[in-house]
mmCIF file of all heavy atoms in Angstrom:
data_model
loop_
_atom_site.group_PDB
_atom_site.id
_atom_site.type_symbol
_atom_site.label_atom_id
_atom_site.label_comp_id
_atom_site.label_asym_id
_atom_site.label_seq_id
_atom_site.Cartn_x
_atom_site.Cartn_y
_atom_site.Cartn_z
ATOM 1 N N PRO V 1 103.426 101.939 98.624
ATOM 2 C CA PRO V 1 102.858 102.979 97.730
ATOM 3 C C PRO V 1 101.955 102.384 96.680
ATOM 4 O O PRO V 1 101.125 103.153 96.095
ATOM 5 C CB PRO V 1 104.078 103.684 97.120
ATOM 6 C CG PRO V 1 105.209 103.351 98.009
ATOM 7 C CD PRO V 1 104.927 102.007 98.596
ATOM 8 N N THR V 2 102.084 101.147 96.400
ATOM 9 C CA THR V 2 101.292 100.516 95.306
ATOM 10 C C THR V 2 100.043 99.785 95.824
ATOM 11 O O THR V 2 99.282 99.174 95.061
ATOM 12 C CB THR V 2 102.147 99.522 94.501
ATOM 13 O OG1 THR V 2 102.479 98.406 95.326
ATOM 14 C CG2 THR V 2 103.381 100.191 93.971
ATOM 15 N N ASP V 3 99.806 99.831 97.139
ATOM 16 C CA ASP V 3 98.681 99.064 97.728
ATOM 17 C C ASP V 3 97.362 99.438 97.092
ATOM 18 O O ASP V 3 97.054 100.621 96.885
ATOM 19 C CB ASP V 3 98.624 99.323 99.231
ATOM 20 C CG ASP V 3 97.630 98.403 99.881
ATOM 21 O OD1 ASP V 3 97.928 97.224 100.056
ATOM 22 O OD2 ASP V 3 96.520 98.871 100.224
ATOM 23 N N VAL V 4 96.548 98.401 96.840
ATOM 24 C CA VAL V 4 95.297 98.614 96.109
ATOM 25 C C VAL V 4 94.248 99.474 96.891
ATOM 26 O O VAL V 4 93.374 100.059 96.309
ATOM 27 C CB VAL V 4 94.654 97.294 95.671
ATOM 28 C CG1 VAL V 4 95.531 96.536 94.752
ATOM 29 C CG2 VAL V 4 94.340 96.454 96.914
ATOM 30 N N TYR V 5 94.412 99.509 98.248
ATOM 31 C CA TYR V 5 93.437 100.182 99.043
ATOM 32 C C TYR V 5 93.770 101.629 99.240
ATOM 33 O O TYR V 5 92.932 102.386 99.782
ATOM 34 C CB TYR V 5 93.292 99.492 100.398
ATOM 35 C CG TYR V 5 92.480 98.206 100.352
ATOM 36 C CD1 TYR V 5 92.899 97.125 101.115
ATOM 37 C CD2 TYR V 5 91.340 98.081 99.577
ATOM 38 C CE1 TYR V 5 92.188 95.937 101.098
ATOM 39 C CE2 TYR V 5 90.639 96.885 99.557
ATOM 40 C CZ TYR V 5 91.013 95.818 100.294
ATOM 41 O OH TYR V 5 90.307 94.697 100.304
ATOM 42 N N ARG V 6 94.888 102.105 98.763
ATOM 43 C CA ARG V 6 95.218 103.556 98.906
ATOM 44 C C ARG V 6 94.369 104.341 97.894
ATOM 45 O O ARG V 6 94.265 103.963 96.740
ATOM 46 C CB ARG V 6 96.703 103.790 98.711
ATOM 47 C CG ARG V 6 97.577 103.222 99.802
ATOM 48 C CD ARG V 6 99.028 103.266 99.482
ATOM 49 N NE ARG V 6 99.524 104.623 99.437
ATOM 50 C CZ ARG V 6 100.623 105.041 100.105
ATOM 51 N NH1 ARG V 6 101.291 104.178 100.910
ATOM 52 N NH2 ARG V 6 101.074 106.269 99.968
ATOM 53 N N SER V 7 93.755 105.396 98.344
ATOM 54 C CA SER V 7 92.806 106.108 97.467
ATOM 55 C C SER V 7 93.423 106.675 96.246
ATOM 56 O O SER V 7 92.777 106.770 95.202
ATOM 57 C CB SER V 7 92.124 107.239 98.294
ATOM 58 O OG SER V 7 93.068 108.243 98.617
ATOM 59 N N GLU V 8 94.707 107.036 96.302
ATOM 60 C CA GLU V 8 95.363 107.641 95.143
ATOM 61 C C GLU V 8 95.637 106.630 94.044
ATOM 62 O O GLU V 8 95.923 107.005 92.883
ATOM 63 C CB GLU V 8 96.669 108.324 95.545
ATOM 64 C CG GLU V 8 97.798 107.425 96.072
ATOM 65 C CD GLU V 8 97.768 107.248 97.569
ATOM 66 O OE1 GLU V 8 96.695 107.275 98.143
ATOM 67 O OE2 GLU V 8 98.849 107.092 98.128
ATOM 68 N N ASN V 9 95.502 105.335 94.363
ATOM 69 C CA ASN V 9 95.737 104.260 93.335
ATOM 70 C C ASN V 9 94.473 103.859 92.625
ATOM 71 O O ASN V 9 94.510 102.964 91.814
ATOM 72 C CB ASN V 9 96.390 103.078 94.016
ATOM 73 C CG ASN V 9 97.790 103.372 94.467
ATOM 74 O OD1 ASN V 9 98.479 104.250 93.937
ATOM 75 N ND2 ASN V 9 98.231 102.684 95.509
ATOM 76 N N ALA V 10 93.352 104.485 93.002
ATOM 77 C CA ALA V 10 92.076 104.151 92.360
ATOM 78 C C ALA V 10 92.011 104.645 90.915
ATOM 79 O O ALA V 10 92.691 105.621 90.525
ATOM 80 C CB ALA V 10 90.928 104.719 93.167
ATOM 81 N N GLU V 11 91.167 104.012 90.137
ATOM 82 C CA GLU V 11 90.872 104.464 88.794
ATOM 83 C C GLU V 11 89.537 105.215 88.799
ATOM 84 O O GLU V 11 88.751 105.041 89.768
ATOM 85 C CB GLU V 11 90.763 103.291 87.805
ATOM 86 C CG GLU V 11 92.043 102.432 87.762
ATOM 87 C CD GLU V 11 93.159 103.118 87.038
ATOM 88 O OE1 GLU V 11 92.925 104.109 86.328
ATOM 89 O OE2 GLU V 11 94.343 102.654 87.181
ATOM 90 N N HIS V 12 89.251 105.988 87.762
ATOM 91 C CA HIS V 12 88.049 106.809 87.821
ATOM 92 C C HIS V 12 86.730 105.976 87.926
ATOM 93 O O HIS V 12 85.746 106.442 88.454
ATOM 94 C CB HIS V 12 87.983 107.699 86.577
ATOM 95 C CG HIS V 12 87.604 106.991 85.283
ATOM 96 N ND1 HIS V 12 88.522 106.308 84.521
ATOM 97 C CD2 HIS V 12 86.394 106.853 84.700
ATOM 98 C CE1 HIS V 12 87.909 105.753 83.496
ATOM 99 N NE2 HIS V 12 86.646 106.114 83.568
ATOM 100 N N GLN V 13 86.769 104.708 87.417
ATOM 101 C CA GLN V 13 85.548 103.917 87.477
ATOM 102 C C GLN V 13 85.368 103.174 88.798
ATOM 103 O O GLN V 13 84.328 102.508 89.011
ATOM 104 C CB GLN V 13 85.557 102.860 86.330
ATOM 105 C CG GLN V 13 86.567 101.754 86.447
ATOM 106 C CD GLN V 13 87.879 102.050 85.774
ATOM 107 O OE1 GLN V 13 88.290 103.216 85.683
ATOM 108 N NE2 GLN V 13 88.550 101.023 85.241
ATOM 109 N N ASP V 14 86.315 103.302 89.711
ATOM 110 C CA ASP V 14 86.238 102.564 90.982
ATOM 111 C C ASP V 14 85.342 103.220 91.966
ATOM 112 O O ASP V 14 84.867 104.359 91.804
ATOM 113 C CB ASP V 14 87.652 102.522 91.592
ATOM 114 C CG ASP V 14 88.630 101.646 90.809
ATOM 115 O OD1 ASP V 14 88.145 100.783 90.005
ATOM 116 O OD2 ASP V 14 89.854 101.804 90.977
ATOM 117 N N TRP V 15 85.083 102.462 93.065
ATOM 118 C CA TRP V 15 84.294 102.908 94.198
ATOM 119 C C TRP V 15 85.175 102.997 95.426
ATOM 120 O O TRP V 15 85.888 102.041 95.724
ATOM 121 C CB TRP V 15 83.101 101.990 94.481
ATOM 122 C CG TRP V 15 82.033 102.080 93.439
ATOM 123 C CD1 TRP V 15 82.021 101.497 92.217
ATOM 124 C CD2 TRP V 15 80.845 102.841 93.525
ATOM 125 N NE1 TRP V 15 80.879 101.849 91.513
ATOM 126 C CE2 TRP V 15 80.123 102.659 92.316
ATOM 127 C CE3 TRP V 15 80.270 103.629 94.507
ATOM 128 C CZ2 TRP V 15 78.888 103.265 92.058
ATOM 129 C CZ3 TRP V 15 79.044 104.237 94.262
ATOM 130 C CH2 TRP V 15 78.332 104.043 93.038
ATOM 131 N N VAL V 16 85.211 104.136 96.114
ATOM 132 C CA VAL V 16 86.067 104.292 97.307
ATOM 133 C C VAL V 16 85.144 104.424 98.510
ATOM 134 O O VAL V 16 84.043 104.997 98.480
ATOM 135 C CB VAL V 16 86.996 105.521 97.179
ATOM 136 C CG1 VAL V 16 88.064 105.264 96.167
ATOM 137 C CG2 VAL V 16 86.211 106.801 96.877
ATOM 138 N N MET V 17 85.680 103.924 99.637
ATOM 139 C CA MET V 17 84.901 103.959 100.943
ATOM 140 C C MET V 17 85.918 103.753 102.058
ATOM 141 O O MET V 17 86.967 103.120 101.881
ATOM 142 C CB MET V 17 83.862 102.860 100.931
ATOM 143 C CG MET V 17 84.436 101.446 100.769
ATOM 144 S SD MET V 17 83.322 100.273 99.934
ATOM 145 C CE MET V 17 83.375 100.862 98.269
ATOM 146 N N VAL V 18 85.630 104.299 103.223
ATOM 147 C CA VAL V 18 86.511 104.065 104.378
ATOM 148 C C VAL V 18 86.226 102.696 104.973
ATOM 149 O O VAL V 18 87.101 102.116 105.619
ATOM 150 C CB VAL V 18 86.353 105.140 105.443
ATOM 151 C CG1 VAL V 18 86.889 106.440 104.923
ATOM 152 C CG2 VAL V 18 84.912 105.273 105.927
ATOM 153 N N GLY V 19 85.042 102.141 104.795
ATOM 154 C CA GLY V 19 84.701 100.833 105.348
ATOM 155 C C GLY V 19 83.427 100.354 104.724
ATOM 156 O O GLY V 19 82.761 101.086 103.963
ATOM 157 N N ASN V 20 83.066 99.153 105.047
ATOM 158 C CA ASN V 20 81.792 98.605 104.550
ATOM 159 C C ASN V 20 81.120 97.780 105.666
ATOM 160 O O ASN V 20 81.481 97.903 106.855
ATOM 161 C CB ASN V 20 82.018 97.705 103.322
ATOM 162 C CG ASN V 20 83.030 96.534 103.551
ATOM 163 O OD1 ASN V 20 83.202 96.118 104.697
ATOM 164 N ND2 ASN V 20 83.638 96.059 102.504
ATOM 165 N N HIS V 21 80.156 96.942 105.341
ATOM 166 C CA HIS V 21 79.442 96.230 106.391
ATOM 167 C C HIS V 21 80.307 95.152 107.104
ATOM 168 O O HIS V 21 79.900 94.658 108.130
ATOM 169 C CB HIS V 21 78.202 95.552 105.778
ATOM 170 C CG HIS V 21 78.489 94.538 104.772
ATOM 171 N ND1 HIS V 21 78.546 94.789 103.403
ATOM 172 C CD2 HIS V 21 78.747 93.194 104.884
ATOM 173 C CE1 HIS V 21 78.812 93.662 102.752
ATOM 174 N NE2 HIS V 21 78.945 92.696 103.633
ATOM 175 N N ASP V 22 81.421 94.806 106.544
ATOM 176 C CA ASP V 22 82.303 93.772 107.129
ATOM 177 C C ASP V 22 83.490 94.358 107.910
ATOM 178 O O ASP V 22 84.320 93.595 108.382
ATOM 179 C CB ASP V 22 82.859 92.856 106.026
ATOM 180 C CG ASP V 22 81.862 91.914 105.485
ATOM 181 O OD1 ASP V 22 80.929 91.507 106.247
ATOM 182 O OD2 ASP V 22 81.960 91.519 104.280
ATOM 183 N N THR V 23 83.612 95.651 108.071
ATOM 184 C CA THR V 23 84.763 96.254 108.691
ATOM 185 C C THR V 23 84.352 97.029 109.965
ATOM 186 O O THR V 23 83.184 97.379 110.144
ATOM 187 C CB THR V 23 85.458 97.251 107.717
ATOM 188 O OG1 THR V 23 84.528 98.326 107.422
ATOM 189 C CG2 THR V 23 85.894 96.617 106.460
ATOM 190 N N PRO V 24 85.295 97.255 110.837
ATOM 191 C CA PRO V 24 84.983 98.103 111.995
ATOM 192 C C PRO V 24 84.605 99.504 111.556
ATOM 193 O O PRO V 24 85.023 100.001 110.529
ATOM 194 C CB PRO V 24 86.321 98.133 112.783
ATOM 195 C CG PRO V 24 87.122 96.997 112.272
ATOM 196 C CD PRO V 24 86.678 96.780 110.840
ATOM 197 N N SER V 25 83.788 100.170 112.364
ATOM 198 C CA SER V 25 83.484 101.571 112.126
ATOM 199 C C SER V 25 84.736 102.396 112.109
ATOM 200 O O SER V 25 85.707 102.124 112.876
ATOM 201 C CB SER V 25 82.554 102.064 113.226
ATOM 202 O OG SER V 25 82.591 103.476 113.352
ATOM 203 N N ILE V 26 84.826 103.401 111.263
ATOM 204 C CA ILE V 26 85.975 104.268 111.204
ATOM 205 C C ILE V 26 86.188 104.992 112.528
ATOM 206 O O ILE V 26 87.329 105.333 112.914
ATOM 207 C CB ILE V 26 85.885 105.250 110.043
ATOM 208 C CG1 ILE V 26 87.263 105.901 109.723
ATOM 209 C CG2 ILE V 26 84.807 106.339 110.308
ATOM 210 C CD1 ILE V 26 88.313 104.930 109.320
ATOM 211 N N TRP V 27 85.085 105.201 113.266
ATOM 212 C CA TRP V 27 85.204 105.880 114.577
ATOM 213 C C TRP V 27 85.862 104.939 115.598
ATOM 214 O O TRP V 27 86.661 105.375 116.429
ATOM 215 C CB TRP V 27 83.809 106.263 115.076
ATOM 216 C CG TRP V 27 83.166 107.145 114.040
ATOM 217 C CD1 TRP V 27 82.341 106.737 113.030
ATOM 218 C CD2 TRP V 27 83.253 108.565 113.933
ATOM 219 N NE1 TRP V 27 81.970 107.846 112.284
ATOM 220 C CE2 TRP V 27 82.484 108.968 112.840
ATOM 221 C CE3 TRP V 27 83.898 109.541 114.708
ATOM 222 C CZ2 TRP V 27 82.358 110.297 112.491
ATOM 223 C CZ3 TRP V 27 83.789 110.874 114.320
ATOM 224 C CH2 TRP V 27 83.029 111.250 113.240
ATOM 225 N N ARG V 28 85.544 103.650 115.557
ATOM 226 C CA ARG V 28 86.181 102.729 116.448
ATOM 227 C C ARG V 28 87.698 102.584 116.106
ATOM 228 O O ARG V 28 88.542 102.537 117.004
ATOM 229 C CB ARG V 28 85.488 101.348 116.229
ATOM 230 C CG ARG V 28 86.083 100.216 117.063
ATOM 231 C CD ARG V 28 85.706 100.279 118.516
ATOM 232 N NE ARG V 28 86.694 100.950 119.298
ATOM 233 C CZ ARG V 28 86.444 101.433 120.509
ATOM 234 N NH1 ARG V 28 85.201 101.331 121.075
ATOM 235 N NH2 ARG V 28 87.382 102.037 121.184
ATOM 236 N N LEU V 29 87.972 102.532 114.789
ATOM 237 C CA LEU V 29 89.361 102.409 114.396
ATOM 238 C C LEU V 29 90.217 103.575 114.790
ATOM 239 O O LEU V 29 91.315 103.457 115.353
ATOM 240 C CB LEU V 29 89.425 102.218 112.859
ATOM 241 C CG LEU V 29 89.360 100.827 112.310
ATOM 242 C CD1 LEU V 29 89.553 100.851 110.803
ATOM 243 C CD2 LEU V 29 90.359 99.895 112.957
ATOM 244 N N THR V 30 89.715 104.796 114.473
ATOM 245 C CA THR V 30 90.562 105.984 114.773
ATOM 246 C C THR V 30 90.712 106.188 116.263
ATOM 247 O O THR V 30 91.768 106.662 116.731
ATOM 248 C CB THR V 30 89.973 107.249 114.105
ATOM 249 O OG1 THR V 30 88.587 107.430 114.565
ATOM 250 C CG2 THR V 30 89.991 107.197 112.642
ATOM 251 N N LYS V 31 89.675 105.786 117.054
ATOM 252 C CA LYS V 31 89.861 105.859 118.489
ATOM 253 C C LYS V 31 90.942 104.850 118.980
ATOM 254 O O LYS V 31 91.750 105.177 119.825
ATOM 255 C CB LYS V 31 88.549 105.570 119.216
ATOM 256 C CG LYS V 31 88.623 105.650 120.715
ATOM 257 C CD LYS V 31 87.263 105.496 121.378
ATOM 258 C CE LYS V 31 86.448 106.789 121.302
ATOM 259 N NZ LYS V 31 85.184 106.735 122.086
ATOM 260 N N ASP V 32 90.969 103.697 118.346
ATOM 261 C CA ASP V 32 92.000 102.667 118.701
ATOM 262 C C ASP V 32 93.345 103.138 118.194
ATOM 263 O O ASP V 32 94.389 102.806 118.854
ATOM 264 C CB ASP V 32 91.648 101.334 118.068
ATOM 265 C CG ASP V 32 90.436 100.676 118.723
ATOM 266 O OD1 ASP V 32 90.048 101.099 119.833
ATOM 267 O OD2 ASP V 32 89.854 99.743 118.122
#
């Protein structure tokens, strides 16, 4: 529950994203 990547643990000044240029596409992941 304390993991830094969970969206609910973000602070208002943070940037959230499902992925970036170094990660698999979210479409590839959810299909897998």
